[in-house]
Amino acid sequence: MLQEFIELFDRGYLQLQLENAQITDWHSSNRVEFLNLLQNKTRSDELRSFWLENQLIGSYLIHNNYIQDLVVNPDYQNCGYGGVILAHCVAHMRANKGIDSVCLRVAKSNWRAKRFYERNHFEELASFAEHTYIPG
């Protein structure tokens, strides 16, 4: 199922990465590293995937009290699946991880995600720079 996850993550983040001039195929170019991440997240009960008739439509990864990634296949976006996946994620974190304060980070330029999370009752607590630079 690795290929399905690679396609989900590369396609799910494609538009944001294009808009920010970032690498658009990280997951397919780093298959072993991505597979190790997925296996570690599975072992620690920090990964869920959502399927519809053998099609991977979405997934989330968590780390501590953070939603690390929540991605929905672009073919299934704006159909309500994102809200269902987010609700499952929050419920899982609260019931199985004992986490009351669920947090996430969204890049400033990702206005679509920001709007999605606000519609799902998340509030902005802080703002941070999208890119951090150090002297060369």
Side-chain angles (χ1 to χ4, degrees):
M1 291 186 271
L2 176 60
Q3 188 59 38
E4 287 88 347
F5 276 91
I6 287 171
E7 290 173 11
L8 172 68
F9 277 75
D10 279 350
R11 287 190 65 220
Y13 286 117
L14 179 63
Q15 188 61 42
L16 177 64
Q17 291 165 331
L18 286 171
E19 290 169 0
N20 289 291
Q22 297 173 338
I23 297 170
T24 58
D25 65 348
W26 185 91
H27 303 92
S28 58
S29 298
N30 296 278
R31 295 174 71 86
V32 172
E33 188 174 342
F34 187 49
L35 176 61
N36 288 335
L37 171 70
L38 295 175
Q39 290 172 332
N40 290 335
K41 291 293 182 184
T42 299
R43 279 192 289 278
S44 61
D45 194 30
E46 296 178 327
L47 165 71
R48 288 292 184 278
S49 58
F50 298 81
W51 299 77
L52 182 64
E53 298 180 11
N54 297 321
Q55 174 70 43
L56 179 59
I57 61 167
S59 182
Y60 65 77
L61 286 75
I62 59 175
H63 179 74
N64 296 326
N65 68 321
Y66 274 87
I67 300 173
Q68 181 178 337
D69 285 287
L70 190 149
V71 61
V72 176
N73 179 322
D75 297 337
Y76 294 90
Q77 290 178 1
N78 300 310
C79 299
Y81 293 110
V84 171
I85 293 170
L86 177 60
H88 186 283
C89 181
V90 171
H92 171 73
M93 293 173 78
R94 289 183 174 152
N96 299 320
K97 299 289 187 180
I99 296 168
D100 290 324
S101 179
V102 175
C103 299
L104 57 91
R105 291 187 176 135
V106 175
K108 282 185 182 182
S109 63
N110 195 352
W111 60 269
R112 291 174 195 93
K114 186 175 186 243
R115 192 174 70 212
F116 166 75
Y117 289 115
E118 288 172 349
R119 280 194 322 259
N120 284 278
H121 313 292
F122 278 74
E123 297 176 6
E124 184 176 328
L125 295 179
S127 181
F128 60 94
E130 288 185 51
H131 307 284
T132 302
Y133 295 89
I134 58 171

